[in-house]
Every structure is written in C-alpha cells, then in structure tokens.
Amino acid sequence: MGTVKRARRRGACALTLLCAMAVLAFAPVLGLPTTAYAAPVTPGAPGAPVAPEPGTKSLEQVHKEIEDLYRQAGTATDAYNQAESETKAQSERVVELAKLIAAGRDRISSLKDRAGAAARAQYRSGGLPPGARLALSGSPGQYLDGADRLRQGEKATADLLAELNRTQNDLQRYAKDASELWQKLEANRVRQETSKKQIEEKIKAAQELESKLQAEEKARLLQLEQDAQRQAQTAWLSSGVLKEINGTASEAGKKAIRFATAQVGKPYVWGAVGPESYDCSGLTSQAWLAAGRPIPRTSQEQLRLLPKVAVKDMRPGDLIIYFDDASHVAMYVGDGAIIHAPRPGRNVTIAGAGSMPIKAVVRPDA
C-alpha cells in the first residue's frame, strides 16, 4: 500500500513540473510576467564583479584628507611665521640693549674718572675740606666767592653721584631685560622648530597621498577641488551679498592690488615673502608694504591688529581672513574675486571670495 502512495506522489510531482514548464514556455504569448535568474558566477571568472580592496579610499576621501593636511600645515605655518616675526623683533631689541649697556659702561667709566679728578684735587689742596679752607681765608670777598663756588661744587658732586647711581640702575635694568629677551628667543626657537617639523610632516603626508594617484586621478582630484570652490562661491553669490559690496579702492589699496596681481603664477612656499614665492600672509603683507603700509606678518596677527569691517562694506584692497583658526588670508580685488597663495603645490591665483568660509574682513588703511 505504501508503495502505491509513493508512486502516486511521484506522478503528481512530475505532472506539476510539466505544467509549470508549459506555462513558462507560453508565458510571453499569454502576457504573463517572467523572471530571469543569472547563473552563479565563480569569483575571479571572466565577467565576475571586482570587489574593492579592503581599506581602499575613494577619491573624495583622499581629497578631503589632503585638504585637511594642507589646512593643518597652514595653521602650523602661521605659528612658525609668528614665532619668526617675534624672534626678529626680540633680536633687534637685544642688539639695542647691548648698545645701551655698552654706552652705560662708558658713561660710568667717565663719571668715575671725574670723581677721581675731584678727589685728587682735594688731595693737592692739603686734604682740607672746602669749608675749612674758606674759614681760614683772610679776605671776606674771597670767602663769599669761595662759598658760592662751594655750593656749585657740592651740587656738581651730588649730581655726579646721582647720575652714577642712575646709570648703574639703568645697566641693571638693561641686563635684566636682555636676559628675559634671550629666554624668549630660546622659547621662540623651540616653537619655530616644532612648527617647522609639523609643517614638513603635514606637507610630506599630503604629497605622498597625491603621489600615489594616477594621472587621471590627479586630474579628477583637481576637478574635485575646483568643484568644491565653485559650489561654495555660487552659494555665496546666491545670497545676494555682492549687490551690497560696492566700495571703491583707496589709492594705497590700488597699489597693493597692482603688486598682488603681478605675483599671479608664482608658487606657494611656506614661510616665503617673495620675490620669487609666497605663502598666503607673505603675499598680503608684502603687497601692503609695497603700498607704503607695513602690516603684521601673519594672518592671525592681521586679524587681531587691523581694523575690521563688515563684509557688505568690503572694498578692493581689503584682506579676507578665512577659517575659524584664521589660518588663511587673501586680498579682495573686487567683483567677488580674491588674489591669494592657496597652498603648497599651487600658485598665486585669482579665486572666488566666497570659495572658502569667511571669518572676517580687515582694512590695512582704515
């Protein structure tokens, strides 16, 4: 009996399979939907999809990493430039103090010679004090004349001693100031070395990332950079801000713009202030120096010390400080454009004023 049931089940399955095959065969004719299934593909076989290697970064990720490294290098560059500027100022002050100390020593030597001459004169007069010599004088007129000279001599002696004391105090102060400045110079030297090392490490890491890219990838990387700047500039212009910016450059501003424009195409080099290469603040500081207006060397000091103006009141020649850490600066040249030294591997160029996040605007000739 069991054998008969199994035979019936096998027969039913076979019949069902035949019916299904018949339906599939006539499905197109009947207008019924069909589903196709691909045959399994052995990994590595021709036509098989290639899986990305573990840990592989997209070009967008590489672009972001490179930009971050250059931004960090920019921040370190500003710290290096600031330390270098302070070191130069402190070195100049140390030289001034050294000259003051040398002059003070000469003055003390002269004062001591004068005091010695007075002592020798007293010795030649028999060692008597001036008052005793006057008392022994036989002439009242001579006594009165001598009394007047006595008062003058006492005042001269008091002045001599007072000047000697002041000069000695000045020498002590100069020596103390010089010692403190030497300590600051050493601290700045350490800061410079640290900043320089950080800059070199960040730039090297960014360059190594770029060196691993193929030519097509490098071109695409540049395109990503330009696209990001273009999108930021478009968003900035879409806000209508340019309609409010209609300031006219001052005469000094025009000179600064002419200088900056003449540098277009020269390479960015960190710490450089021309004439063959520049970093961002090196370009802006030299441009305004050429216009007869010396300004601070670094973007952070330019932000801190120069008068600020609203973006809507911006005029050509003004400086735009970028990013929260004020690590980049450019010169506004009008019509929504800037001239700046972007980063290592790039040249001084013209770009959109809104292509980077604006922190503030400062005016060197306010």
Side-chain angles (χ1 to χ4, degrees):
M1 185 66 180
T3 302
V4 175
K5 288 182 178 180
R6 284 195 295 271
R8 287 177 179 174
R9 281 200 298 271
R10 284 197 297 271
C13 290
L15 181 60
T16 301
L17 180 60
L18 287 173
C19 291
M21 292 174 65
V23 170
L24 289 173
F26 288 96
V29 179
L30 299 174
L32 298 176
T34 61
T35 303
Y37 296 92
V41 179
T42 303
V50 178
E53 296 180 7
T56 300
K57 298 177 182 178
S58 67
L59 195 58
E60 286 76 9
Q61 290 173 317
V62 172
H63 170 253
K64 183 180 184 306
E65 190 170 343
I66 289 174
E67 289 299 308
D68 287 345
L69 285 167
Y70 279 127
R71 277 286 318 285
Q72 293 169 26
T75 302
T77 297
D78 214 51
Y80 175 89
N81 290 339
Q82 181 62 26
E84 187 176 46
S85 178
E86 290 175 357
T87 296
K88 181 180 179 182
Q90 289 161 0
S91 297
E92 292 172 352
R93 179 58 180 160
V94 166
V95 172
E96 291 176 4
L97 288 171
K99 291 178 180 179
L100 289 171
I101 289 172
R105 286 174 176 166
D106 289 343
R107 184 61 179 160
I108 286 176
S109 178
S110 175
L111 291 171
K112 286 181 177 179
D113 287 344
R114 286 170 55 188
R120 288 191 295 272
Q122 182 175 344
Y123 176 78
R124 286 194 297 271
S125 66
L128 290 175
R133 293 201 307 273
L134 290 176
L136 296 174
S137 173
S139 169
Q142 290 180 353
Y143 180 87
L144 292 175
D145 290 343
D148 184 58
R149 288 195 299 272
L150 174 63
R151 285 192 296 269
Q152 292 177 0
E154 289 176 343
K155 183 178 184 303
T157 301
D159 290 346
L160 177 66
L161 294 174
E163 186 174 357
L164 182 61
N165 187 52
R166 282 196 306 271
T167 304
Q168 289 175 331
N169 288 338
D170 287 343
L171 279 178
Q172 290 176 353
R173 188 175 72 254
Y174 297 154
K176 180 176 180 294
D177 290 347
S179 176
E180 291 176 352
L181 278 175
W182 276 116
Q183 291 176 6
K184 290 180 180 179
L185 282 172
E186 176 60 19
N188 275 338
R189 184 189 65 77
V190 173
R191 280 175 56 197
Q192 282 180 298
E193 289 183 355
T194 301
S195 297
K196 183 178 180 181
K197 185 177 180 181
Q198 291 174 346
I199 294 164
E200 291 173 341
E201 287 176 350
K202 300 301 181 184
I203 291 176
K204 182 180 179 182
Q207 290 174 339
E208 286 179 350
L209 278 175
E210 286 187 286
S211 68
K212 294 176 182 178
L213 300 175
Q214 300 298 323
E216 292 181 0
E217 291 175 317
K218 289 180 180 178
R220 175 59 181 153
L221 186 69
L222 179 60
Q223 188 63 49
L224 286 173
E225 180 182 320
Q226 294 172 343
D227 288 347
Q229 294 174 355
R230 190 179 302 109
Q231 290 172 7
Q233 175 73 353
T234 300
W236 186 67
L237 293 176
S238 298
S239 68
V241 65
L242 203 57
K243 296 177 182 178
E244 301 178 327
I245 302 174
N246 52 16
T248 303
S250 64
E251 288 305 312
K254 291 176 183 177
K255 292 179 182 178
I257 291 171
R258 283 197 293 271
F259 179 93
T261 302
Q263 313 313 311
V264 170
K266 293 183 179 180
Y268 176 107
V269 174
W270 67 266
V273 291
E276 301 302 325
S277 58
Y278 297 87
D279 62 18
C280 65
S281 57
L283 175 64
T284 54
S285 61
Q286 290 301 303
W288 273 101
L289 182 62
R293 298 294 181 94
I295 64 173
R297 166 68 177 89
T298 69
S299 57
Q300 292 178 349
E301 287 296 283
Q302 289 169 7
L303 171 65
R304 187 173 72 87
L305 298 176
L306 297 179
K308 297 178 180 61
V309 297
V311 172
K312 65 182 181 63
D313 297 324
M314 184 166 58
R315 70 187 186 193
D318 287 346
L319 305 182
I320 304 179
I321 310 295
Y322 291 98
F323 305 110
D324 288 339
D325 58 1
S327 58
H328 192 68
V329 61
M331 178 179 292
Y332 184 65
V333 294
D335 295 326
I338 56 171
I339 290 178
H340 72 142
R343 65 165 177 80
R346 299 287 184 263
N347 298 330
V348 175
T349 187
I350 297 174
S355 59
M356 296 168 284
I358 296 175
K359 181 177 180 65
V361 178
V362 296
R363 180 163 295 165
D365 61 339

